[in-house]
Amino acid sequence: MVAFCLFGAGVMGTVHAANIADHPEARLRTVVDVAAAAGRAIADQYGAVYLDDADAAINDPNHDAVLIASDARTHADLAARAARAGKAIFCEKPLDADVAKAEAGAREVEAAGVPFQIGFHRRYDPNYRGLHQAVASGEIGDVALMRIVARQPEAPSREDVAKLPANLWKDLLIHDLDLARWVMGEEPVEVFATASCLFAPWLKEAGEVDTIAMTLRTRRGALCQISAGAGSAYGFDQRAEVIGSVGMAAVDNLRSTTVERYAADGAKRSNPPADFLERYTTCYREELDHFIDALNTGAMPTPGLGDGLQALKLAEAGIASARTGAPVAVTG
Ligand SMILES: NC(=O)c1ccc[n+]([C@@H]2O[C@H](COP(=O)([O-])OP(=O)(O)OC[C@H]3O[C@@H](n4cnc5c(N)ncnc54)[C@H](O)[C@@H]3O)[C@@H](O)[C@H]2O)c1
């Protein structure tokens, strides 16, 4: 039985708390949130204890693992403190809002040698797994070009941007940067990005963007183009394809029904899921199952620290490229 301490009782904390509570080999023991009402509500729902003292929670010997679903600016610090206390860590993305803090936190977690998993849930989606497998098995040959579409109906809100500056890069696109690394099986060494603000004037005032076009290049010359942003009023648009030397593999949007209706004035099919919670529900459960299995078997869970750090570095390189208009080199 893995006893969890949850940090952050917001949108993702609610998802993870439910999955911990549902798991036969896990127990939600404690909830910590700087907002007492939110923390207490989830703690009460699952028979856990609410604590406002992070150190007491982290150092409680009854906890085996911490699940960090708090504000991104707190991730690396909480992870480092949990690692020093010898706890296994599941950390939501990004590894931190700040690369230097993420690197410092990663060094501490690595030195402690505790199990660590980052919440890149796309790796637990059966469709993206199939895409990964098509490349890893050699079935479509050497990767030449990957294309990823990641669009959400709403632009980041003022609150989102206040909590995580460069929001679209580090909150949405970061998943696709990890997807690209994982599926291509090669490390991007250069990025070129350009970005605009076309949907939400308040983002422009804050120096933020809602539309990103980014190209990644690996040492071998394989390319990945990512089109990410807001404005998909028709749903949460998530697609990808990989062109290889002997074939192609693609993932389309999921739909609630495959029925297509045709009439004289046109054809209709159902929209993609409304948002990430609907699209990736099963992945949040699968990634947690994997984390718990890894703790039970003594294996290191995946994706790990290096994956969290590299995706964040790629996001930062994209931001720099969009600012300067020049390609930016990325080191591993
Ligand atoms: N994997 C995904 O699909 C996915 C989706 C959305 C958000 N996220 C990530 O999950 C994290 C949380 O996002 P969210 O949407 O749940 O945010 P949220 O604002 O809904 O919730 C965050 C909670 O953390 C609390 N908090 C802030 N500082 C804290 C601290 N020091 N200690 C304890 N609690 C603290 C806040 O009071 C709030 O209740 C972010 O890093 C975000 O990028 C991941």
Side-chain angles (χ1 to χ4, degrees):
M1 191 58 85
V2 178
F4 276 88
C5 173
L6 170 70
F7 282 86
V11 175
M12 285 315 296
T14 302
V15 170
H16 291 306
N19 288 335
I20 292 170
D22 267 1
H23 197 290
E25 289 162 14
R27 180 181 165 215
L28 182 63
R29 202 166 190 281
T30 304
V31 179
V32 183
D33 195 304
V34 288
R40 280 214 175 86
I42 291 198
D44 290 350
Q45 188 176 353
Y46 296 110
V49 172
Y50 167 73
L51 275 184
D52 60 3
D53 182 341
D55 275 325
I58 284 171
N59 291 305
D60 184 336
N62 295 305
H63 296 142
D64 305 301
V66 299
L67 196 152
I68 302 172
S70 50
D71 187 313
R73 292 167 295 186
T74 67
H75 288 186
D77 174 56
L78 286 172
R81 286 156 75 185
R84 287 198 290 272
K87 308 299 183 197
I89 302 161
F90 182 103
C91 181
E92 261 306 337
K93 47 52 62 167
L95 189 48
D96 201 87
D98 177 79
V99 174
K101 279 176 65 192
E103 283 176 328
R107 277 195 296 275
E108 291 221 38
V109 175
E110 199 157 29
V114 295
F116 179 95
Q117 184 176 336
I118 187 117
F120 286 138
H121 59 244
R122 282 166 175 58
R123 294 197 188 206
Y124 289 89
D125 175 70
N127 307 285
Y128 288 128
R129 255 181 196 278
L131 197 62
H132 168 81
Q133 194 51 30
V135 174
S137 65
E139 196 182 326
I140 62 166
D142 295 333
V143 175
L145 182 66
M146 180 168 183
R147 185 176 65 99
I148 300 174
V149 171
R151 294 193 198 112
Q152 57 190 21
E154 303 292 336
S157 65
R158 280 195 179 82
E159 298 72 43
D160 294 336
V161 168
K163 283 186 285 188
L164 180 57
N167 194 280
L168 199 68
W169 302 91
K170 294 179 182 174
D171 198 46
L172 178 71
L173 181 85
I174 199 154
H175 280 295
D176 304 293
L177 295 171
D178 180 67
L179 182 68
R181 292 180 63 243
W182 178 58
V183 169
M184 293 173 87
E186 294 178 43
E187 212 54 76
V189 293
E190 186 184 77
V191 311
F192 176 73
T194 184
S196 292
C197 190
L198 302 170
F199 296 101
W202 65 86
L203 287 179
K204 204 170 207 163
E205 287 159 26
E208 297 274 337
V209 300
D210 55 26
T211 306
I212 296 172
M214 184 164 178
T215 303
L216 315 176
R217 183 184 181 87
T218 70
R219 196 174 303 286
R220 195 175 55 82
L223 304 175
C224 176
Q225 290 183 309
I226 307 176
S227 144
S232 52
Y234 49 89
F236 193 59
D237 193 358
Q238 304 279 285
R239 290 170 280 147
E241 70 179 24
V242 186
I243 317 288
S245 52
V246 297
M248 191 272 274
V251 168
D252 201 352
N253 279 310
L254 300 189
R255 294 178 195 280
S256 58
T257 164
T258 57
V259 175
E260 296 181 15
R261 286 163 290 154
Y262 296 84
D265 60 349
K268 282 187 183 160
R269 61 194 297 210
S270 66
N271 279 343
D275 56 26
F276 62 92
L277 292 173
E278 195 183 326
R279 171 63 181 84
Y280 292 116
T281 315
T282 58
C283 309
Y284 298 122
R285 190 176 285 265
E286 294 279 334
E287 64 179 359
L288 185 78
D289 288 355
H290 168 77
F291 180 69
I292 293 167
D293 284 352
L295 298 196
N296 285 337
T297 59
M300 194 48 103
T302 182
L305 267 180
D307 300 306
L309 204 49
Q310 204 55 26
L312 187 57
K313 282 186 186 174
L314 287 169
E316 286 290 356
I319 295 165
S321 176
R323 197 176 50 238
T324 60
V328 172
V330 184
T331 52

